[in-house]
Amino acid sequence: MFAAQRNGHPATAEELAPLAFAGYAHFTAMQVRAGRVRGLDLHLERLRHASMELFGQAVPDDRVRSYLRAALRAGPADVSLTATVHSPAGEFTVTGGEPEVLVRTGPAASGPAGPLTLAAVEHERFLPAVKHVGEVAKTYVLRQAAGQGFDDAAFVDRRGRLSEGTIWNLAFWDGTAVVWPVAEMLTGTTMAVVRRQLDRLGVPQRAQEITLDDLPALAGAVVMNSWTPGVPVHRIGSVPLPQAEPFVRLLHRAYEAESPTAP
């Protein structure tokens, strides 16, 4: 029912085995509904940028799209899809060959309902603008937060700024405008979709540095990723936040205004 394909063809066990230890790779994750994806252009842009950063070359967009189509033909119309780009030369080498693409599909997902509590953890990701693999810290921090009674964690950088969650972007609400945190982070594709659709809807937005001390003045917070454009957050660290249901509905409306595209 689901696919695991290397460069557009079913992957063998021998081809997949080296990837179990591949830490030098990057990926993008998306939700496919009725064979279509919101923000497909952003996913392709992410893969191009990351490939140039890690490998100095990128798989052409039309070839990536053909690999996505091949994987989608092998399964149901609604799936979770991950496209991982890696070098056949593996890690700890000075140079590598042309990057290869592994596309995997699995059951469609929609994320937790929330509201969530997030532990505030001091952490800065390496190469934060790249969605790369092998980030043991994200799962470690998540499990540590859960052990302390939180649902997940939000990262605080060395300057005290909130940046992102373990697998989430953060967004805040001041009662009138959507507020995006300023810090080194991964710009999520759902985040980018929501921002451009909020512009088209005429909703005010701004970006600013946000610390834990700034939270009491805000009217709501959410996390978002490829699963969902908004799960309410009602506490970060020890600071409570209003659930702000109109804010959550606004983000979902903006996301749904984006027309899905077939690969």
Side-chain angles (χ1 to χ4, degrees), residues 192-202 254-255 257-259:
V193 164
V194 168
R195 292 187 77 158
R196 69 185 178 190
Q197 291 301 329
L198 288 174
D199 276 340
R200 292 168 184 169
L201 292 171
Y255 182 73
E258 177 91 5
S259 298

Side-chain angles (χ1 to χ4, degrees), residues 115-212:
L116 304 179
T117 58
L118 305 180
V121 178
E122 186 173 339
H123 178 65
E124 296 180 20
R125 295 174 56 248
F126 181 71
L127 285 178
V130 175
K131 192 175 180 69
H132 50 83
V133 306
E135 292 193 86
V136 65
K138 293 195 295 187
T139 300
Y140 180 82
V141 166
L142 166 63
R143 293 181 179 182
Q144 291 293 305
Q148 298 167 19
F150 293 91
D151 297 304
D152 210 318
F155 298 151
V156 180
D157 70 11
R158 70 192 72 185
R159 295 169 55 183
R161 303 178 301 179
L162 286 157
S163 58
E164 57 190 332
T166 56
I167 57 170
W168 312 92
N169 282 117
L170 296 168
F172 300 91
W173 179 242
D174 69 1
T176 303
V178 179
V179 185
W180 303 98
V182 172
E184 294 295 321
M185 71 181 79
L186 177 71
T187 299
T189 55
T190 298
M191 175 182 175
V193 164
V194 168
R195 292 187 77 158
R196 69 185 178 190
Q197 291 301 329
L198 288 174
D199 276 340
R200 292 168 184 169
L201 292 171
V203 176
Q205 305 179 72
R206 71 176 186 276
Q208 71 176 60
E209 296 183 349
I210 298 175
T211 69
L212 292 172

Side-chain angles (χ1 to χ4, degrees), residues 1-261:
M1 179 177 289
F2 298 113
Q5 298 187 352
R6 170 179 169 268
N7 296 337
H9 301 284
T12 66
E14 290 76 13
E15 291 169 334
L16 291 174
L19 294 175
F21 305 97
Y24 196 75
H26 67 87
F27 69 101
T28 194
M30 62 191 78
Q31 291 298 314
V32 182
R33 299 293 183 268
R36 294 174 175 268
V37 181
R38 286 182 169 87
L40 178 63
D41 60 318
L42 300 169
H43 288 286
L44 295 172
E45 180 183 352
R46 166 185 279 172
L47 293 177
R48 281 197 312 274
H49 166 78
S51 287
M52 293 305 298
E53 181 70 25
L54 295 188
F55 309 122
Q57 57 182 317
V59 180
D61 285 0
D62 58 349
R63 198 186 309 167
V64 173
R65 294 183 73 162
S66 73
Y67 297 159
L68 300 180
R69 288 194 299 270
L72 292 177
R73 284 195 297 267
D78 294 352
V79 295
S80 299
L81 184 148
T82 302
T84 301
V85 183
H86 63 99
S87 168
E91 299 180 88
F92 314 117
T93 58
V94 176
T95 59
E98 182 179 0
E100 298 185 346
V101 183
L102 173 69
V103 179
R104 295 175 295 134
T105 61
S110 57
L116 304 179
T117 58
L118 305 180
V121 178
E122 186 173 339
H123 178 65
E124 296 180 20
R125 295 174 56 248
F126 181 71
L127 285 178
V130 175
K131 192 175 180 69
H132 50 83
V133 306
E135 292 193 86
V136 65
K138 293 195 295 187
T139 300
Y140 180 82
V141 166
L142 166 63
R143 293 181 179 182
Q144 291 293 305
Q148 298 167 19
F150 293 91
D151 297 304
D152 210 318
F155 298 151
V156 180
D157 70 11
R158 70 192 72 185
R159 295 169 55 183
R161 303 178 301 179
L162 286 157
S163 58
E164 57 190 332
T166 56
I167 57 170
W168 312 92
N169 282 117
L170 296 168
F172 300 91
W173 179 242
D174 69 1
T176 303
V178 179
V179 185
W180 303 98
V182 172
E184 294 295 321
M185 71 181 79
L186 177 71
T187 299
T189 55
T190 298
M191 175 182 175
V193 164
V194 168
R195 292 187 77 158
R196 69 185 178 190
Q197 291 301 329
L198 288 174
D199 276 340
R200 292 168 184 169
L201 292 171
V203 176
Q205 305 179 72
R206 71 176 186 276
Q208 71 176 60
E209 296 183 349
I210 298 175
T211 69
L212 292 172
D213 291 338
D214 297 321
L215 294 181
L218 295 170
V222 302
V223 291
M224 61 177 66
N225 63 10
S226 63
W227 289 338
T228 171
V231 178
V233 172
H234 71 82
R235 182 160 58 93
I236 300 179
S238 62
V239 184
L241 287 152
Q243 289 193 37
E245 293 179 7
F247 174 41
V248 177
R249 289 197 297 269
L250 172 65
L251 296 176
H252 280 260
R253 180 161 66 94
Y255 182 73
E256 289 163 7
E258 177 91 5
S259 298
T261 304

